Amino acid sequence: MSCEVKNKERVGVINPIFTCQPCGAQFASIGIKDTIGIVHGGQGCVMFVRLLFSQHFKESFELASSSVHEEGAVFGACRRVEEGVDVLLMRYPHVKVIPIISTCSTEIIGDDIDGVVIKLNEGLLKEKYAGREVHLIPIHTPSFVGSMVSGYDIAVRDFVKYFAKKDEPNGKINLFTGWVNPGDVTALKHLLSEMQIDATVLFEIESFDSPLMPDGNHVSHGSTTIEDLRGTANASGTIALNVYEGGKAAKFLEKEFQIPTVIGPTPIGIRNTDTFLQNLKTMTGKPIPESLVRERGLAIDALTDLTHLFFADKRVAIYGNPDLVIGLAEFCLDLEMKPVLLLLGDDNSAYKDDPRIKDLQEKVDYDMQIVTNADFWELENRIKNEGLELDLILGHSKGRFISIDYNIPMFRVGFPTYDRAGMYRHPIVGYAGAIWLAEQMANTLFTDMEYKKNKEWILNVW
Amino acid sequence: MPLHEFECSTCIPERKKHAVDKGPGEDLTSALPEGYLNTIPGSISERGCAYCGAKHVIGTPMKDVIHLSHGPVGCTYDTWQTKRYISDNDNFQLKYTYASDMKEKHIVFGAEKILKQNMIEAFKAFPKIKRMTLYQTCASALIGDDMNAVAQDVMDEMPDVDIFVCNSPGFKGPSQSGGHHTINIAWIKDKVGTVEPKITSDYVINYVGEYNIQGDEVIMQDYFKRMGIQVLSTFTGNGSYDDLRAMHGAHLNVLECARSAEYICNELRVRYGIPRLDIDGFGFEPLSDSLRKVALFFGIEERALQIIKEETARWKPELDWYKERLQGKKICLWPGGSKLWHWAHVIHKEMGLDVVSVYTKFGHQQDMEKGIARCEEGALAIDDPNELETIEAMLKLQPDIIVTGKRPGEVAKKIRVPYLNVHAYHNGPYKGYEGWVRLARDIYNAIYSPIHRLALLDISKDEIPTDKGFATRRMLSDANLNEEIASSSDLRPYTGKYDCLPDYMNHTYPDELRKKPAGDN
């Protein structure tokens, strides 16, 4: 019985679990109101990321490209950023924030995007856009470092670092949600509201799920404001739910403005939600109300209906964003399941020292493997060639063919999830998320039992 | 033909040359929009990059190949599972994608060593696959890795494998079109002529510029095979690597998408003297003409006529059922590539739709030339449209339907215009006689969707009927239709299956058709 943590041994990637850093920075930037990012690189770095977002949310999001062509690649392409900023400002009068997001190509050719921003601030913005509030924020996200996860973390930090400004205490707490869905933000705000806590939620992305309205709204966009970001310096505390998505920003605020900070845990499952509420209580002095005791009771009730009867000892593989994977694994353990394989899709050296991972290593009572820098072949090869038997896969849509080809039921969770309808609408955090996750996992198993005629009659009397 | 100036683009005057209104009685001599010029940064264009043009559009439909991109992981991930080019080998090329996963240290010290390791690992993981294509990305191009040398090295060590190298970094040219060109030329230069063809018929073609979106190629293959014609290779949908190395063995190159694949046809003509015949698998009449042209080339016209007769009898009543109901509906034909001109006239003639706008993301002037020549008077033609221009156009033109890609489709949805994906298709295939009916069906379903009608209502302002529990498409489409047509027993809606491909794939073809009749030399 052991829990081994190891790096993928192959150097290459067969079916990647993550995309690269600029995607994460783009995801962060669409969360801020009046913001359109310019991705400094080839056009594909934007076009495909926009497609990815539209696959996941079934909505379109605005992001621009500096459209670097050969000439720029050879002679430097800073001029393309200058032109891009001007074109964007001329045509989008509401835009106030333009993150300049670098990519592998423009980092390799050494384009000085910080220098461009200084030049534009001194020149174009003063001359042509005097009196208009414009913020240009260089964000360095070379694609050959980290992954979309670190790209998000860096971008969130850079936004906060740029805007946070010491002023009078605002009595709020900062809540960094990490890379979540609109449904998660709704669930988190519900918990805060029940506790009567005033919080700055970063980011306000409930509006990613946007209605089709008679007045023909065109695009979806987040609604975090510049004021929200400024005020982060004046909060009475910060809670970052995820270590690797938003953790950097939380640490920055702690160091720079001495804001009391709690990082983690991702409130997936009952226990982690309990911890989250305890942290809120400690930080604000507000009690946990009866309404949440009842909500928790509903969740526990729902889980009790499922856990020993259906979940016990079910072998699960989980892949995706690190905080998500760890949170899901912990919840699965509480549900008597056996997460046997966790796949983290990048080479962040912090994973092996993550206390949650160390805890798993010390305490699981069966064989578990955690693979870092993992790709989907780490999963498929174990199933195909090494006899790994699984009852369930938890992860995003890019892994769908493993489930399909090896007849293993899979519940879609994480980003991107484009092969199931409306998943972004449902929370996986909080007590509501615990109910949703557990019941959907159960329903996924039930459907599989019926297709495979595997004790499908057991459901007759449930 | 007056240039069309978008209000949203008055501040970028160069955009004025990229759109025209096709005025009454005017022809192309008065104006043609600029095309294939560098993109204006920050304009929120829809263009992709030359890497995706090479790898994602043309390279990856090759079905029996390990498609490995040399660069950081993003290029690979982002272009994976975003298309619907299927194959008859269980979609190997859709399911598996490979990246050399270049990290910072490789950028500094070079990544040739890990590339080689990568290639060997990939072949080891899939021992039955012996062919590989390596794609350059921005990163590997800029650090100057010699991918050809690494490929040669691996081929020397593994004599049973063959590797194709495509050097088409993302920044090469204004759009994905640069990548189409690069991979065309690289393939003919490096691979055509390296395998001898297995000839099984006296009539041999390469089917070029066909990507088997949702099975287009399967339907078209059926027609060719019914005429006794051997399709030696398909470039590249459902195409096999080694078949494509033998392209030089064909008698004729039958070219579907001239935008993305005319380059290789032109080279095959220069180098091997194989003529190029441009065809069009969309629309009954263009398709019938195309089949006849191909047959005429081989002197077997009667075989084409037979197919045309059978297929038209089978499917025309269904096409016409939709045509009657789509008459006069306005369509924005915004597909991106060659469908711009493949559809511009025939969608009007055969489905009754009025084309109010055409656009191209990555096309060149000659694509626009063909599109404008064929579309309706009054249509707005846009080159490299950007986000604000498409919104302005939609609001001004008030189309009944927009056919475009996935993401712009989401924008159309919000403006309450039904959208159809014509890159990856909604429920294709759309080529062939049956496919064309499926397109008409999908357009009809979109336009007459009861939910779309509900979307047009504002419950706070409009008079809301309170006596209706539901509507059907038929109730909506036939409301103002002539009674005789509405109840005609000569016409009928689509009768095919959800997945129509297995029936085509189960066809058998008489051997004798593949031999020229005696005395016919």
Side-chain angles (χ1 to χ4, degrees), chain B residues 171-313:
Chain B
F171 54 74
K172 193 170 187 174
S175 72
Q176 47 269 60
S177 186
H180 306 155
H181 184 225
T182 304
I183 194 169
N184 269 252
I185 299 303
W187 184 263
I188 181 133
K189 192 164 105 354
D190 295 346
K191 291 302 163 199
V192 174
T194 58
V195 156
E196 277 316 303
K198 289 187 196 73
I199 302 298
T200 58
S201 166
D202 291 337
Y203 318 104
V204 184
I205 64 166
N206 294 312
Y207 188 28
V208 183
E210 163 54 53
Y211 306 105
N212 200 31
I213 307 295
Q214 291 208 23
D216 277 352
E217 190 256 2
V218 174
I219 292 202
M220 294 296 289
Q221 276 252 16
D222 178 62
Y223 305 143
F224 295 133
K225 287 180 181 165
R226 279 156 70 182
M227 292 195 277
I229 294 169
Q230 177 191 359
V231 180
L232 183 61
S233 72
T234 305
F235 187 89
T236 53
N238 201 22
S240 163
Y241 185 100
D242 280 2
D243 290 349
L244 284 156
R245 293 165 77 189
M247 288 179 96
H248 59 289
H251 304 132
L252 180 68
N253 286 311
V254 171
L255 174 61
E256 189 81 59
C257 176
R259 173 67 282 126
S260 62
E262 68 170 351
Y263 318 103
I264 196 165
C265 283
N266 294 347
E267 285 299 311
L268 284 163
R269 181 168 55 197
V270 172
R271 295 179 190 216
Y272 299 101
I274 307 171
R276 154 184 165 178
L277 181 69
D278 288 28
I279 69 151
D280 186 346
F282 295 113
F284 281 36
E285 197 178 313
L287 172 58
S288 299
D289 289 347
S290 298
L291 296 179
R292 279 182 58 200
K293 279 198 289 184
V294 174
L296 268 171
F297 177 85
F298 291 115
I300 49 176
E301 196 187 0
E302 73 292 347
R303 297 183 189 174
L305 294 175
Q306 184 60 30
I307 292 171
I308 295 164
K309 197 174 136 197
E310 285 170 18
E311 294 288 325
T312 306

Side-chain angles (χ1 to χ4, degrees), chain B residues 255-428:
Chain B
L255 174 61
E256 189 81 59
C257 176
R259 173 67 282 126
S260 62
E262 68 170 351
Y263 318 103
I264 196 165
C265 283
N266 294 347
E267 285 299 311
L268 284 163
R269 181 168 55 197
V270 172
R271 295 179 190 216
Y272 299 101
I274 307 171
R276 154 184 165 178
L277 181 69
D278 288 28
I279 69 151
D280 186 346
F282 295 113
F284 281 36
E285 197 178 313
L287 172 58
S288 299
D289 289 347
S290 298
L291 296 179
R292 279 182 58 200
K293 279 198 289 184
V294 174
L296 268 171
F297 177 85
F298 291 115
I300 49 176
E301 196 187 0
E302 73 292 347
R303 297 183 189 174
L305 294 175
Q306 184 60 30
I307 292 171
I308 295 164
K309 197 174 136 197
E310 285 170 18
E311 294 288 325
T312 306
R314 169 70 183 84
W315 298 111
K316 189 77 174 14
E318 304 191 2
L319 180 65
D320 287 346
W321 190 92
Y322 293 106
K323 183 184 179 182
E324 294 295 348
R325 288 159 175 85
L326 295 175
Q327 209 64 251
K329 293 289 173 194
K330 294 190 286 184
I331 184 169
C332 280
L333 186 52
W334 290 351
S338 64
K339 292 181 199 88
L340 158 70
W341 33 272
H342 274 160
W343 292 11
H345 56 317
V346 70
I347 207 159
H348 176 72
K349 199 169 171 192
E350 299 191 357
M351 294 186 198
L353 294 152
D354 290 337
V355 177
V356 292
S357 180
V358 290
Y359 87 25
T360 183
K361 298 196 285 187
F362 55 81
H364 301 215
Q365 271 193 312
Q366 66 257 43
D367 302 308
M368 209 42 132
E369 199 172 339
K370 288 186 267 188
I372 294 173
R374 290 173 169 185
C375 70
E376 265 74 58
E377 277 181 6
L380 168 61
I382 320 166
D383 167 69
D384 181 24
N386 57 58
E387 187 90 354
L388 289 177
E389 290 173 356
T390 53
I391 292 170
E392 188 176 321
M394 281 188 248
L395 294 173
K396 177 172 176 281
L397 298 167
Q398 297 283 322
D400 296 294
I401 186 162
I402 292 174
V403 295
T404 186
K406 155 81 188 153
R407 195 203 45 75
E410 299 296 345
V411 181
K413 172 179 80 180
K414 286 293 199 283
I415 298 179
R416 302 184 296 172
V417 178
Y419 128 85
L420 204 61
N421 187 333
V422 291
H423 295 178
Y425 301 166
H426 266 46
N427 280 300

